[in-house]
Amino acid sequence: MPYSWLADLIPPPHTREPLTFQSFLQGVLLPILCYYTTAVLVILPNTLFLRWTLLPLTLWTTFRGSTRVNLVLQYNDERLVYWNQGLVLAFTTMGMRVITWTFQRKPFRRAPFLVAGTKNIKDDVWSPPSGLWQVATDAFELCFNLRGCGWNWSRGLQVPPETRPTTSTAAFAWATFVSFNVHLVFFDIMHYSVQWFAPATIGSPVGGSIFDPTIPPAYQYLRSSTITLLSGLTVYCAIQTSYLLFSLIGILIFKQHLSLWPPAFKTPWLATSLTEYWAKRWHQLFRDNFISIGGNPLSWVAGRVGGVLGAFLVSGIFHDLGLWGMGRGSDFRNVVGFFVMMGVGVILEGLWKQISGRRTEGWIGRIWTLAWVIGWGNLLVDAWTRKGLVGSLFIPTHLRPSTLIFGALSFT
């Protein structure tokens, strides 16, 4: 276990409690309340000391909730343990955000109908909240706003251009609803295609490697790379589907402005460099967390190299903790190794620019980006399949579009 030095502090998975009223209050609701309270304080001026005081309690409650609550114990279905993965990821995100908020010296402010990263915005545009109700609603919005759209933080964020109609909320919501259903179907088909390679191992909670030692090496890596590519498309569709669903909830139920829900991705398959892929085209939902916790501290020590590697290192640890949350152990080397190598690739592109005076771009840049992501992606996907993540049940079998189209897979 890579976190062996924490072994005495982290309860083993089998000691987690089922979700009951009491465990919900202590393990789920309490950290959420601490998280929300910090969001309120970071909006208000002169609250730095209060945030410092609250931080230890917030971190402890998020740690306790993610290590002592089992969301699926009562269902006795190992295909649903990814719910616990989601719980750990959610609480880890909350922990990273409250650390950033705690040491923020200037209050966060909202600028209605503007997106983070907009240039030449005067300071007086960012207006402080007026009244307790606005403070409460602004804090609620801040808790769910991961990218910083409409706020004075997360400067430099790359927001993809909007492709949906913005003439009315109804037109925007309808386009979002259609896109949600399309991505949901494609997600299931991509997920089915990965499971199809080995339903009894890769496609089941039992798990198995994407590498098949019984076939020649060339075919073995062609097979594993194909599985990796399909898995990447599965992840893309899964994030899109979830983001579009939350967009509909935010717009239709909470009446949020359309500008707060710009596209999550910018056609990542068109990237001509790793830098463009990760900084502009892949989703930026956790960008501020990774830069604040990993990128900024290490950039003070080692400049741009430290900043890049620090951000990717924290991203790798974040994803590995989520995998650990399933209760089947972690895979630090493969998961963190993938993300660190993405940082190494970005640094190599910077060196190439310094040496040659040219950026990584064009069709050569696309081949380089695809090869680097998929090549090292074998490590990440192999960790997922061996831990049984690909065998998760996201849609009931009899309702899966892929089952209706291609027929049910045999998992025995």
Side-chain angles (χ1 to χ4, degrees):
M1 180 178 180
Y3 313 107
S4 56
W5 61 281
L6 289 174
D8 294 336
L9 298 177
I10 301 179
H14 71 270
T15 63
R16 296 177 186 174
E17 304 172 359
L19 186 63
T20 61
F21 181 73
Q22 181 177 356
S23 64
F24 171 78
L25 291 179
Q26 296 178 350
V28 179
L29 183 60
L30 184 57
I32 291 176
L33 291 177
C34 291
Y35 175 64
Y36 176 76
T37 302
T38 306
V40 171
L41 293 175
V42 78
I43 294 173
L44 299 174
N46 304 317
T47 61
L48 186 61
F49 179 76
L50 292 176
R51 282 178 270 141
W52 287 352
T53 305
L54 184 60
L55 179 61
L57 176 62
T58 305
L59 294 180
W60 168 245
T61 57
T62 54
F63 170 79
R64 179 182 174 84
S66 60
T67 58
R68 291 191 177 274
V69 177
N70 189 327
L71 297 179
V72 297
L73 189 62
Q74 61 269 38
Y75 296 104
N76 195 30
D77 190 341
E78 56 184 347
R79 297 175 300 172
L80 300 177
V81 293
Y82 69 92
W83 290 7
N84 293 327
Q85 178 190 33
L87 179 69
V88 172
L89 290 176
F91 280 166
T92 303
T93 300
M94 289 164 55
M96 289 191 293
R97 299 195 82 190
V98 295
I99 291 174
T100 303
W101 296 349
T102 295
F103 298 98
Q104 176 69 26
R105 294 194 172 274
K106 293 183 179 181
F108 286 161
R109 294 287 182 257
R110 295 190 66 176
F113 320 136
L114 294 174
V115 296
T118 304
K119 298 180 180 179
N120 300 323
I121 299 179
K122 297 181 180 179
D123 291 338
D124 56 3
V125 173
W126 307 102
S127 57
S130 56
L132 293 178
W133 177 248
Q134 187 176 350
V135 171
T137 55
D138 282 0
F140 180 82
E141 203 278 324
L142 176 62
C143 286
F144 294 95
N145 192 322
L146 297 179
R147 286 188 287 182
C149 297
W151 289 81
N152 66 340
W153 53 275
S154 194
R155 296 273 185 170
L157 175 66
Q158 299 291 327
V159 179
E162 186 58 74
T163 58
R164 292 163 292 182
T166 57
T167 53
S168 68
T169 299
F172 186 90
W174 174 250
T176 302
F177 178 74
V178 172
S179 183
F180 163 78
N181 284 280
V182 170
H183 282 94
L184 178 62
V185 172
F186 272 98
F187 158 74
D188 183 61
I189 292 175
M190 292 297 102
H191 184 211
Y192 180 99
S193 68
V194 176
Q195 293 180 319
W196 172 85
F197 277 88
T201 55
I202 292 176
S204 75
V206 174
S209 177
I210 62 175
F211 301 106
D212 186 352
T214 64
I215 60 178
Y219 291 105
Q220 180 182 163
Y221 287 102
L222 176 62
R223 175 181 182 270
S224 66
S225 295
T226 301
I227 294 173
T228 298
L229 175 61
L230 294 172
S231 298
L233 293 173
T234 304
V235 172
Y236 166 79
C237 291
I239 296 174
Q240 278 280 48
T241 302
S242 302
Y243 181 79
L244 291 168
L245 176 61
F246 283 115
S247 300
L248 290 172
I249 294 174
I251 294 166
L252 298 179
I253 297 180
F254 294 104
K255 307 302 180 182
Q256 293 180 311
H257 194 270
L258 306 183
S259 66
L260 295 178
W261 293 98
F265 294 88
K266 185 182 179 183
T267 54
W269 48 86
L270 296 181
T272 57
S273 70
L274 290 169
T275 303
E276 181 188 23
Y277 181 87
W278 291 109
K280 296 182 179 181
R281 294 190 176 273
W282 194 249
H283 77 82
Q284 306 292 296
L285 299 177
F286 302 105
R287 170 185 176 274
D288 187 71
N289 293 333
F290 299 153
I291 291 177
S292 298
I293 303 299
N296 289 339
L298 285 185
S299 67
W300 300 336
V301 177
R304 180 179 180 273
V305 172
V308 171
L309 290 180
F312 278 105
L313 175 62
V314 171
S315 177
I317 294 174
F318 173 77
H319 286 84
D320 191 48
L321 285 174
L323 193 65
W324 171 86
M326 295 176 61
R328 298 168 181 170
S330 69
D331 195 334
F332 188 88
R333 184 188 66 176
N334 283 357
V335 177
V336 178
F338 165 77
F339 286 98
V340 169
M341 291 310 299
M342 294 301 103
V344 170
V346 171
I347 293 171
L348 290 176
E349 290 181 350
L351 290 176
W352 167 253
K353 182 182 178 182
Q354 290 180 1
I355 295 171
S356 67
R358 293 181 294 175
R359 294 179 179 272
T360 305
E361 56 187 358
W363 64 271
I364 295 179
R366 289 186 180 179
I367 295 175
W368 147 261
T369 302
L370 186 66
W372 192 265
V373 172
I374 294 180
W376 291 107
N378 276 255
L379 299 177
L380 180 62
V381 174
D382 189 54
W384 290 345
T385 59
R386 286 188 290 101
K387 298 299 181 183
L389 178 60
V390 176
S392 299
L393 179 67
F394 298 101
I395 303 175
T397 303
H398 65 285
L399 296 177
R400 294 184 67 176
S402 57
T403 299
L404 300 176
I405 297 173
F406 305 110
L409 289 169
S410 175
F411 293 98
T412 59

